[in-house]
Amino acid sequence: MKRKNDLPAGIAAPAVFWLTTIVCGLMMGNYNHLVRLVSELGALGTDTRFIFAVGLVLTGILSLALMVGLLRRCKSRGVSIFPVIIILTHALSITGAGIFPMPTRLHGLLGMPSVL
């Protein structure tokens, strides 16, 4: 990905995540964003599972694109890459949560780094 494309990817990542979350929540009908888990939107057996999975994987890919650009900038300026590594864990975590739906064991394991 070209250097100039990482900022739009960084803006698009949360937009895709929130759009996916809102659309899937509306499709479920009885979903309350303040009370229920986001992972419930993509749980096994839900009608929104596929849409939610695609949204999370796309969010992870966009986050990864941002991370690559930030990594390049950090290295060129000689600053710490630690914050970029946090974004990397989030990108991998959110992608894994999309691929492995709730309540599978891998969903819980891969979702833990997103807390960072």
Side-chain angles (χ1 to χ4, degrees):
M1 182 164 274
K2 293 182 181 179
R3 178 177 272 191
K4 65 180 179 181
N5 292 337
D6 61 337
L7 184 57
I11 293 168
V16 169
F17 174 79
W18 285 109
L19 181 64
T20 301
T21 303
I22 291 167
V23 167
C24 289
L26 290 172
M27 287 176 66
M28 284 189 84
N30 63 346
Y31 181 81
N32 182 335
H33 295 281
L34 298 176
V35 179
R36 296 180 65 184
L37 297 172
V38 174
S39 293
E40 292 178 46
L41 297 172
L44 290 174
T46 60
D47 294 337
T48 57
R49 182 178 162 347
F50 179 75
I51 295 168
F52 191 71
V54 169
L56 288 188
V57 171
L58 183 57
T59 300
I61 291 168
L62 290 167
S63 296
L64 210 67
L66 173 65
M67 186 223 41
V68 169
L70 291 176
L71 188 61
R72 287 180 187 154
R73 284 181 178 80
C74 288
K75 286 187 175 189
S76 72
R77 292 186 171 108
V79 297
S80 173
I81 63 167
F82 182 72
V84 179
I85 293 170
I86 293 173
I87 296 170
L88 172 63
T89 62
H90 177 264
L92 297 175
S93 176
I94 204 157
T95 303
I99 294 170
F100 301 103
M102 189 175 127
T104 62
R105 183 177 179 171
L106 285 176
H107 179 83
L109 291 173
L110 290 169
M112 282 189 271
S114 68
V115 172
L116 292 174

